[in-house]
Amino acid sequence: MDWREHVREVEVEPSLYAADFARLGEEVDVLLDTGARVFHWDVGDGHFVEPVTMGPIVLRAVAPRVRAQGGLVDCHLMVENPARHVPQFAEAGADSVTVHVEVDWEPARALARSRGLGFGLALNPDTPLERVLPRAGELDLVLCMSVHPGYSGQRFIAASVERAARLRELLPDRVRLQVDGGVGAENVGALRQAGADLLVAASAIFGGGDPAAGYRALASAVA
Ligand code: DX5
Ligand code: ZN
């Protein structure tokens, strides 16, 4: 499956990191019914980022539900050695993987491509934007982190709007621009105007206790 053909012009991506894990499947179904198409799956290894988060064993239970309704799972690997994990995520039903430009990412790119996955590179808030440019033509997406990666529920770093706009200018048109961290109703419009088209949100969707309403609020703000 070609990841690019299935991602709409603008996607609000629910990050399941902040879902109610005791009701994960139900929350995914509700969001699919509400119109979410791309789900963001945050993987922390306890090294590149402090927390150990969600692994392929859990994804294996969720991905078929998403795919059955035409959705996709976009995995954000906040890990030191992404090549070690890409095959497991591919087998568990990932549709794309994004790994950090701050680590040795090339072996992960080759593995992702050989398995037909979409591939992206993520930049931490203090990483120079130029780091992703030499190979930008080979990427499906660039992820501009708007918090330091690791935890959900952090405050949005305001300078990220400017970084997103600059990235949009620098990247080829066909490379999607994703923003992740502290995204909510108060900044999603500015991010969209800056050229971001994949907007990841965890607390803004799940934090209010009504994920469908949270998703709808963001989706209508960027429509
Ligand atoms: C954490 C993850 C994010 C996180 C976003 O660094 O990469 O995807 O789940 O959470 P919020 O939207 O709450 O900042
Ligand atoms: Zn993420």
Side-chain angles (χ1 to χ4, degrees), residues 15-18 40-43 49 76 78 100 143 145-156 180-184 200-205:
S15 161
L16 296 171
Y17 196 2
H40 186 85
W41 188 267
D42 283 301
V43 183
V49 293
H76 176 195
M78 303 178 284
H100 275 258
L143 165 50
M145 287 303 301
S146 41
V147 299
H148 291 278
Y151 294 99
S152 168
Q154 303 181 72
R155 185 189 294 268
F156 181 78
D180 179 15
V183 172
V200 176
S203 2
I205 291 179

Side-chain angles (χ1 to χ4, degrees), residues 87-218:
Q88 295 171 48
F89 281 96
E91 277 151 33
D95 295 288
S96 62
V97 291
T98 295
V99 309
H100 275 258
V101 73
E102 298 87 6
V103 304
D104 178 22
W105 56 268
E106 171 55 33
R109 188 197 67 83
L111 286 168
R113 290 307 192 199
S114 71
R115 284 161 173 77
L117 301 183
F119 182 77
L121 279 179
L123 287 149
N124 281 344
D126 43 15
T127 299
L129 304 178
E130 291 69 25
R131 291 273 298 273
V132 295
L133 299 182
R135 305 280 298 277
E138 298 166 56
L139 306 175
D140 292 310
L141 70 92
V142 167
L143 165 50
C144 178
M145 287 303 301
S146 41
V147 299
H148 291 278
Y151 294 99
S152 168
Q154 303 181 72
R155 185 189 294 268
F156 181 78
I157 299 172
S160 310
V161 177
E162 185 49 42
R163 271 169 72 82
R166 183 82 189 114
L167 270 171
R168 189 64 281 168
E169 280 171 20
L170 295 169
L171 291 170
D173 287 350
R174 57 161 286 279
V175 178
R176 309 295 297 262
L177 179 58
Q178 187 175 55
V179 179
D180 179 15
V183 172
E186 60 293 347
N187 52 40
V188 79
L191 289 168
R192 178 71 194 112
Q193 278 199 340
D197 49 23
L198 304 174
L199 299 141
V200 176
S203 2
I205 291 179
F206 295 99
D210 184 348
Y215 174 83
R216 263 191 235 108
L218 295 186

